[in-house]
Amino acid sequence: MMKSKLKTLKLGWTRNQIASKIANDLPHGSYVNLGIGMPELVSQFVEENKEIIYHSENGLLGMGPPALENEVDYELINAGKKPVTILPGGSFCHHADSFSMIRGGHIDICVLGAMEVSENGDLANWTTGKGIPAVGGAMDLVAGAKNIFVMTDHLTKYGEPKLLKECSLPLTGKSVVTRVYTNYAIFGIEKSGFKLLEINEDINFDYLKKCTEGKIIQ
Amino acid sequence: MMKSKLKTLKLGWTRNQIASKIANDLPHGSYVNLGIGMPELVSQFVEENKEIIYHSENGLLGMGPPALENEVDYELINAGKKPVTILPGGSFCHHADSFSMIRGGHIDICVLGAMEVSENGDLANWTTGKGIPAVGGAMDLVAGAKNIFVMTDHLTKYGEPKLLKECSLPLTGKSVVTRVYTNYAIFGIEKSGFKLLEINEDINFDYLKKCTEGKIIQ
Amino acid sequence: MEVNKLINSINDAVSEVFDGSTIMIGGFGEAGSPVELIHALIDNGSRNLTIIANNAGNGRIGLGALIGQRQVNKVICSFARSHKSITFKEQYEKNEIELEVVPQGTLAERIRSAGAGIPGFYTATAVGTPLANGKESKMFDGKEYILEKALSADFAFVKAENADRYGNLSFNKTARNFNPIMCMAAKQTIVQVKNFIDVKETDPEKVITPGIFVDKIVEVKNPLIETHAIENGEVYP
Amino acid sequence: MEVNKLINSINDAVSEVFDGSTIMIGGFGEAGSPVELIHALIDNGSRNLTIIANNAGNGRIGLGALIGQRQVNKVICSFARSHKSITFKEQYEKNEIELEVVPQGTLAERIRSAGAGIPGFYTATAVGTPLANGKESKMFDGKEYILEKALSADFAFVKAENADRYGNLSFNKTARNFNPIMCMAAKQTIVQVKNFIDVKETDPEKVITPGIFVDKIVEVKNPLIETHAIENGEVYP
């Protein structure tokens, strides 16, 4: 391993390109929860010919785009606490009902960021172990949604791999990730490791292996 | 004991009189569930100067009187499946929410019939052990409501005591009854037995004791 | 492309039901009972069914008819005894149909739990009674509770008042009963609805069952009224 | 005599809160947060409080102010980390306030369970993580779940949009959040409401929280808007 020597080159797909690839993989009519931060980009790239229904865990199904200045209602917010809108056919519910949708396996896909992912699908994305521990709905989402898509840079800002043999940080969930989208490549999670589904055209496989601590299956 | 020799005299209070005594004991503003059958009489005798809110476990809070012929909606029924009405300020809910009101201890008083009551407050009122076993909401009500008032004839139609040392029939709940209203007397349930609160003026205490297998405390 | 869960034919709506399916049937008494969906299931002919419902059917229509057609092996319900419940009684007395009795609130909560991803919960209901036999118990703060397990199904048959293309539902009065929680607890939820409405008419504050819990909708504008049908001696098929 | 849960004075509404109370506070972020009730609690002065809420307050108003006044010993919440959460951070870093972190869905379900008379339930949430430490686990169908216990309170502080004299509530959009389930889980539920409405305006199909879960209502027609108040640097008291 040569973690510390890898450079943080802005290689591979841009964030928008990753978002677009995820958007392409959302089936028509699916119920999707987009995590706070990078995953919020995904909705912009959904093709016109399909309809996705967005869930926000604070009790909003059928969420629309962020509220324009003249649309702001501070009691119509998303899980990131930003003012949003609701689309026709949307609905409000209380927190126990909203998390029943999650825990009960009714959300088809949840897209989340990651600090670390292990080759068996463990996810760490809630705390570095320092500062105030704050989990929000992350543990419920990873345990409950049918598919967990991770959207992340392939390397940390220090150039270290995020796709590991085992996570070193406190886990959010065990064996929960089903797919990983990075700027370098897209992987499924199989019992034996990260199954390579697509690699960015500028990345060669040897470099990908060097940047990935966990086992890659071709 | 001389169970079989007791006669089924129609002594003591009428059913309406028992219902009226129970009605007097319902506090203003209380949430009350009246069981199917005899307990349904109670609501007629509530004094004008207080307001009781009736719960029907099939998802109706704020139940009004039975529906008149021109008011019948077969989808507005009570737990006995008879058409009823809803009062202003009433509301509908689903079964899980309705039984949350019961199981969560939000119903102040539930009035139920009984086949047998034991001196420690056990109640048997759902099956004789013969025929199709059918429990409905009885077990939830007795386990959940804050107070369980039993309304019953003091003797069975064969002249046998219903207030026993121990129930012989399958139980609905253990140590759940808080008060018993019969045509002969009114009892609280205490650790040591049936605490006599009021006796009908035509019943003498010796006769009451003969008609009651469980221990009476004066 | 727009999401639209409306199915034109009621027979198509139930076409995926298979022999040996477990089916939840909404309704309490006749309120909210999806009689027309059950009749379509009689046409479909699937057998060896397990039915989860509050009651065991009345007369020879709806669930009463389904049982009469000998399509049902087992009923899980709170109250199977009614003077109008003919077909269940006939078969129960001959040991030809199985019955699991569940207290009504426990039944509701087991269904809701399945929908909410909770495999088991503790309740004081039935403690000390024959219905607690064989169940694990546990003390919380000095009081005894029994463990009850989630109850799920392959299909839920539900009756609603209004539905839009997403499957957002509202119900009529006490016809709500088991319907919303059954929508949550089945792999496939099939709804018969009196009024299929435009999504613009859906008020987001007033949706009772959000569309996420609904798979198929079929419009039945004039559903049979059970009381009248039984009074008239109606029989299906 | 008519049931009427309206209280004229907000200070009277919270007057029964005592030192050492456990209080649920509704809201998710600023949506549905009963800021004026919390300010009345600051006036009331009760100390050594345990607060159950999703967040740990923002700025120096509402829960942020209550913590700033050192009335709170412990916070049970899912997300206490926010750049606007000043007072909690100050005290947490000095070990002057206790924190119990609960996953948001588990928090909601534990509250709902308390209201529904369920002392414990099993969930897959947090299995294999540090938040499962010390919790009983159990296998259901080959999968591991942990036991989570009901979370109740002495008081619930709730914000609603409309209330009638019975305490039937409706909420504004995502201000619903934890409010309805907290109403169920406390010994005494106190509601600040924007509009006190005549009972004739209550549609029985559209009640979100039935009055059975509500004890006291106080009207606050123009509640503070947290975003604006924090931008303006407002401080309470």
Side-chain angles (χ1 to χ4, degrees):
Chain A
M1 287 310 304
M2 35 184 295
K3 288 184 182 181
S4 54
K5 291 188 192 159
L6 293 167
K7 274 209 215 129
T8 335
L9 297 171
K10 269 295 170 198
L11 272 174
W13 294 306
T14 63
R15 289 188 171 191
N16 281 347
Q17 285 172 320
I18 308 173
S20 165
K21 293 205 169 274
I22 295 173
N24 285 339
D25 289 347
L26 304 179
H28 170 62
S30 55
Y31 291 88
V32 173
N33 183 298
L34 299 177
I36 298 164
M38 221 200 294
E40 292 179 68
L41 295 171
V42 170
S43 61
Q44 298 169 35
F45 297 95
V46 172
E47 304 92 320
E48 285 290 315
N49 68 342
K50 65 185 183 188
E51 188 177 356
I52 305 298
I53 300 129
Y54 297 101
H55 173 258
S56 186
E57 60 265 32
N58 56 317
L60 171 51
L61 186 68
M63 180 170 61
L68 301 174
E69 214 168 315
N70 63 343
E71 292 174 324
V72 168
D73 179 337
Y74 293 107
E75 295 198 319
L76 175 47
I77 60 176
N78 65 10
K81 289 154 193 167
K82 289 179 214 131
V84 292
T85 53
I86 183 169
L87 298 174
S91 59
F92 300 108
C93 63
H94 64 54
H95 253 79
D97 282 349
S98 182
F99 278 84
S100 291
M101 295 177 192
I102 295 169
R103 204 188 305 98
H106 306 284
I107 303 292
D108 296 303
I109 294 162
C110 175
V111 186
L112 287 170
M115 296 170 182
E116 298 176 346
V117 186
S118 78
E119 62 188 32
N120 71 337
D122 295 354
L123 174 67
N125 77 347
W126 72 285
T127 182
T128 58
K130 287 172 220 153
I132 302 172
V135 67
M139 285 189 185
D140 308 282
L141 283 161
V142 300
K146 278 186 214 151
N147 292 282
I148 300 295
F149 288 4
V150 161
M151 180 180 183
T152 180
D153 286 332
H154 200 89
L155 300 172
T156 69
K157 57 179 170 173
Y158 306 109
E160 293 178 0
K162 297 181 98 172
L163 279 57
L164 308 175
K165 286 201 178 307
E166 279 185 38
C167 295
S168 65
L169 294 172
L171 293 188
T172 309
K174 264 198 93 62
S175 297
V176 293
V177 177
T178 48
R179 207 171 272 195
V180 182
Y181 295 79
T182 79
N183 47 330
Y184 293 176
I186 304 173
F187 305 91
I189 298 284
E190 294 191 353
K191 272 185 194 158
S192 38
F194 294 102
K195 168 75 179 170
L196 184 62
L197 300 177
E198 188 180 342
I199 186 165
N200 178 275
E201 58 275 19
D202 297 332
I203 307 289
N204 71 52
F205 185 67
D206 284 342
Y207 179 74
L208 185 72
K209 268 171 72 177
K210 225 163 37 172
C211 297
T212 309
E213 188 200 277
K215 186 175 171 190
I216 298 177
I217 311 155
Q218 270 189 295
Chain B
M1 287 311 306
M2 34 182 294
K3 287 186 184 183
S4 53
K5 292 186 190 162
L6 293 168
K7 275 209 217 136
T8 333
L9 297 170
K10 269 296 169 196
L11 272 174
W13 293 307
T14 63
R15 289 189 170 190
N16 281 348
Q17 285 171 320
I18 307 174
S20 163
K21 293 204 170 274
I22 294 174
N24 286 339
D25 289 347
L26 303 181
H28 170 62
S30 56
Y31 291 88
V32 173
N33 183 300
L34 299 177
I36 299 164
M38 220 200 292
E40 291 178 69
L41 295 171
V42 171
S43 61
Q44 299 168 34
F45 297 96
V46 172
E47 304 93 322
E48 286 290 314
N49 67 342
K50 65 186 182 187
E51 188 177 357
I52 305 298
I53 300 129
Y54 298 101
H55 173 258
S56 185
E57 61 265 32
N58 56 319
L60 170 52
L61 187 68
M63 182 169 62
L68 302 174
E69 214 168 316
N70 63 345
E71 292 174 323
V72 168
D73 179 336
Y74 292 108
E75 295 198 319
L76 176 47
I77 60 176
N78 66 9
K81 288 155 193 165
K82 290 181 212 129
V84 292
T85 53
I86 183 169
L87 298 174
S91 60
F92 300 107
C93 64
H94 64 55
H95 252 78
D97 282 348
S98 182
F99 278 83
S100 292
M101 295 177 193
I102 295 169
R103 203 189 304 100
H106 307 283
I107 302 293
D108 296 302
I109 294 162
C110 174
V111 186
L112 287 170
M115 296 170 180
E116 299 176 346
V117 186
S118 78
E119 62 188 32
N120 69 337
D122 295 353
L123 174 67
N125 76 346
W126 72 285
T127 182
T128 58
K130 287 173 221 155
I132 301 172
V135 67
M139 285 188 185
D140 308 281
L141 283 161
V142 300
K146 276 185 216 155
N147 292 283
I148 301 295
F149 287 5
V150 160
M151 179 181 185
T152 179
D153 286 333
H154 200 89
L155 299 172
T156 69
K157 57 180 171 173
Y158 306 107
E160 293 178 359
K162 299 180 98 173
L163 279 58
L164 307 175
K165 286 201 178 310
E166 278 185 40
C167 295
S168 65
L169 294 173
L171 293 189
T172 310
K174 264 197 94 62
S175 298
V176 292
V177 176
T178 49
R179 207 170 271 196
V180 183
Y181 296 79
T182 81
N183 46 330
Y184 292 177
I186 303 172
F187 305 93
I189 298 283
E190 294 190 355
K191 270 186 195 157
S192 39
F194 294 101
K195 168 75 180 173
L196 184 62
L197 301 177
E198 187 180 343
I199 186 166
N200 177 277
E201 59 274 21
D202 297 332
I203 306 289
N204 71 52
F205 185 67
D206 284 343
Y207 179 74
L208 185 71
K209 268 172 70 178
K210 222 163 39 170
C211 298
T212 307
E213 188 200 277
K215 186 175 172 191
I216 298 176
I217 311 154
Q218 271 187 295
Chain C
M1 206 158 53
E2 282 191 335
V3 170
N4 191 349
K5 298 180 182 176
L6 186 70
I7 308 270
N8 289 322
S9 141
I10 195 164
N11 292 306
D12 288 352
V14 304
S15 64
E16 290 176 74
V17 177
F18 50 89
D19 287 357
S21 295
T22 296
I23 307 178
M24 290 179 173
I25 298 185
F28 178 89
E30 70 187 290
S33 174
V35 175
E36 283 73 14
L37 282 178
I38 302 170
H39 290 172
L41 180 57
I42 291 176
D43 299 351
N44 159 301
S46 294
R47 299 177 72 84
N48 302 323
L49 304 174
T50 295
I51 299 298
I52 300 168
N54 188 63
N55 302 102
N58 286 326
R60 297 188 184 278
I61 51 164
L63 179 53
L66 186 72
I67 292 170
Q69 294 294 310
R70 303 200 168 263
Q71 291 176 252
V72 180
N73 281 2
K74 180 177 179 180
V75 175
I76 301 174
C77 78
S78 88
F79 204 86
R81 193 173 61 216
S82 149
H83 65 285
K84 288 191 277 181
S85 186
I86 317 159
T87 58
F88 178 82
K89 187 165 187 276
E90 283 167 0
Q91 292 175 35
Y92 182 81
E93 287 173 350
K94 293 186 206 152
N95 270 317
E96 291 170 353
I97 194 164
E98 197 184 336
L99 171 65
E100 181 181 336
V101 186
V102 182
Q104 199 173 137
T106 296
L107 181 64
E109 192 64 19
R110 288 178 65 192
I111 293 167
R112 189 253 176 205
S113 288
I118 290 167
F121 63 91
Y122 290 93
T123 177
T125 298
V127 168
T129 80
L131 297 190
N133 290 348
K135 288 183 176 151
E136 285 181 44
S137 79
K138 192 173 174 73
M139 304 296 284
F140 291 84
D141 293 329
K143 191 176 162 189
E144 188 184 352
Y145 296 83
I146 54 171
L147 176 64
E148 292 283 358
K149 292 183 184 167
L151 195 56
S152 59
D154 298 306
F155 300 92
F157 284 14
V158 159
K159 184 186 180 192
E161 188 72 6
N162 298 307
D164 65 22
R165 62 181 175 86
Y166 291 100
N168 291 309
L169 308 181
S170 61
F171 301 89
N172 179 35
K173 306 185 183 74
T174 57
R176 193 180 300 190
N177 57 62
F178 283 90
N179 285 306
I181 51 176
M182 287 181 171
C183 288
M184 299 168 64
K187 291 193 196 99
Q188 184 177 118
T189 293
I190 308 167
V191 182
Q192 72 166 72
V193 66
K194 265 181 109 161
N195 310 301
F196 185 76
I197 62 170
D198 189 281
V199 77
K200 288 183 205 112
E201 293 173 51
T202 299
D203 180 339
E205 301 281 11
K206 294 163 190 167
V207 169
I208 303 302
T209 290
I212 192 170
F213 298 126
V214 170
D215 298 287
K216 294 178 178 176
I217 304 158
V218 65
E219 204 177 23
V220 178
K221 280 194 176 298
N222 293 298
L224 164 162
I225 294 172
E226 187 184 286
T227 295
H228 296 168
I230 292 179
E231 280 168 6
N232 298 338
E234 283 181 34
V235 171
Y236 194 88
Chain D
M1 206 157 53
E2 281 191 336
V3 169
N4 191 349
K5 298 180 182 176
L6 186 70
I7 308 271
N8 289 322
S9 140
I10 194 164
N11 292 307
D12 288 351
V14 304
S15 64
E16 290 176 75
V17 177
F18 50 89
D19 285 356
S21 295
T22 296
I23 307 178
M24 290 179 174
I25 298 185
F28 177 89
E30 71 187 289
S33 174
V35 175
E36 283 72 14
L37 283 177
I38 302 170
H39 290 173
L41 180 57
I42 291 176
D43 299 350
N44 159 302
S46 295
R47 301 176 71 84
N48 302 324
L49 305 173
T50 295
I51 300 296
I52 300 168
N54 189 63
N55 301 103
N58 286 325
R60 298 189 183 276
I61 51 165
L63 179 53
L66 186 72
I67 292 170
Q69 295 294 311
R70 303 199 167 264
Q71 291 176 253
V72 181
N73 281 2
K74 181 177 178 180
V75 175
I76 301 174
C77 78
S78 89
F79 204 87
R81 195 174 61 216
S82 148
H83 66 284
K84 289 190 275 181
S85 187
I86 317 160
T87 57
F88 178 81
K89 188 163 186 277
E90 283 168 0
Q91 293 175 34
Y92 183 81
E93 286 173 351
K94 294 187 208 150
N95 271 317
E96 292 171 351
I97 194 164
E98 196 184 338
L99 172 64
E100 181 181 337
V101 186
V102 182
Q104 198 173 136
T106 296
L107 181 64
E109 192 64 20
R110 288 178 65 193
I111 294 166
R112 189 255 175 203
S113 287
I118 290 167
F121 63 91
Y122 290 94
T123 177
T125 297
V127 168
T129 80
L131 297 189
N133 289 349
K135 288 183 176 153
E136 284 182 44
S137 79
K138 192 174 174 72
M139 304 295 285
F140 290 85
D141 293 329
K143 193 178 161 188
E144 188 184 352
Y145 296 83
I146 54 171
L147 177 64
E148 292 283 359
K149 293 184 183 167
L151 195 56
S152 59
D154 298 306
F155 300 91
F157 283 15
V158 159
K159 183 185 180 193
E161 189 71 8
N162 298 307
D164 65 21
R165 64 181 172 86
Y166 291 100
N168 291 308
L169 308 182
S170 61
F171 301 89
N172 179 35
K173 306 187 183 73
T174 57
R176 193 181 298 190
N177 58 63
F178 283 90
N179 285 306
I181 50 177
M182 287 180 171
C183 288
M184 299 168 64
K187 290 193 195 101
Q188 183 177 118
T189 293
I190 309 166
V191 182
Q192 73 167 71
V193 66
K194 265 181 107 160
N195 310 301
F196 185 76
I197 62 171
D198 190 280
V199 76
K200 288 184 204 111
E201 293 174 51
T202 300
D203 180 338
E205 301 281 11
K206 295 163 191 168
V207 169
I208 303 302
T209 290
I212 192 170
F213 298 126
V214 170
D215 298 288
K216 294 180 178 175
I217 304 159
V218 65
E219 204 176 22
V220 179
K221 279 194 178 296
N222 293 299
L224 163 162
I225 294 171
E226 188 185 285
T227 295
H228 297 169
I230 291 179
E231 281 168 6
N232 299 338
E234 284 182 33
V235 171
Y236 194 90

